[in-house]
Amino acid sequence: MTRKPKDAPLQVVRQIETPDQALAIAMKAGDHKLANVAAAIGKSESYVSRMRRGMRPIPRRLVGPLCAATESNLLRQFFDLQAAMEPPCWRSEVSRLAGMLRGA
């Protein structure tokens, strides 16, 4: 029986450098075995192991299931923080500035 994933403290989230590190920490903190996490998300142990070691990217579609399997939102929080820190794309900046110019 898995519990609802809990948010990690922001002090921890800010120190995470990569998605694989977030997954490894979430698994270790909850003492979650590779086999259990793999079974929970419907993937092989080797697949989860490769994601945890950074040898395979973590697909966005697996973020929710991995958070549920580890009972931690650390991975989701990491991705959210990275998205918030990304500079806006060129096209959205052009649209934003053009709108400001129109209104001036």
Side-chain angles (χ1 to χ4, degrees), residues 9-100:
L10 292 179
Q11 303 92 305
V12 174
V13 177
R14 288 191 297 256
Q15 294 182 61
I16 304 298
E17 296 177 1
T18 60
D20 53 284
Q21 185 183 38
L23 177 58
I25 291 168
M27 288 177 67
K28 180 118 178 133
D31 198 28
H32 297 285
K33 305 295 182 222
L34 191 60
N36 295 341
V37 173
I41 67 168
K43 300 293 181 185
S44 70
E45 286 183 46
S46 64
Y47 183 82
V48 175
S49 177
R50 288 191 304 271
M51 286 191 300
R52 184 178 64 181
R53 290 182 290 146
M55 299 173 68
R56 185 163 191 97
I58 298 174
R60 286 297 218 164
R61 70 180 186 282
L62 289 182
V63 171
L66 285 166
C67 288
T70 61
E71 299 174 353
S72 170
N73 281 324
L74 182 60
L75 187 59
R76 178 176 289 120
Q77 290 173 278
F78 170 78
F79 278 119
D80 289 348
L81 180 61
Q82 293 302 306
M85 291 179 10
E86 282 182 12
C89 74
W90 184 81
R91 286 185 185 189
S92 65
E93 264 308 279
V94 167
S95 296
R96 183 183 72 79
L97 294 170
M100 288 176 66

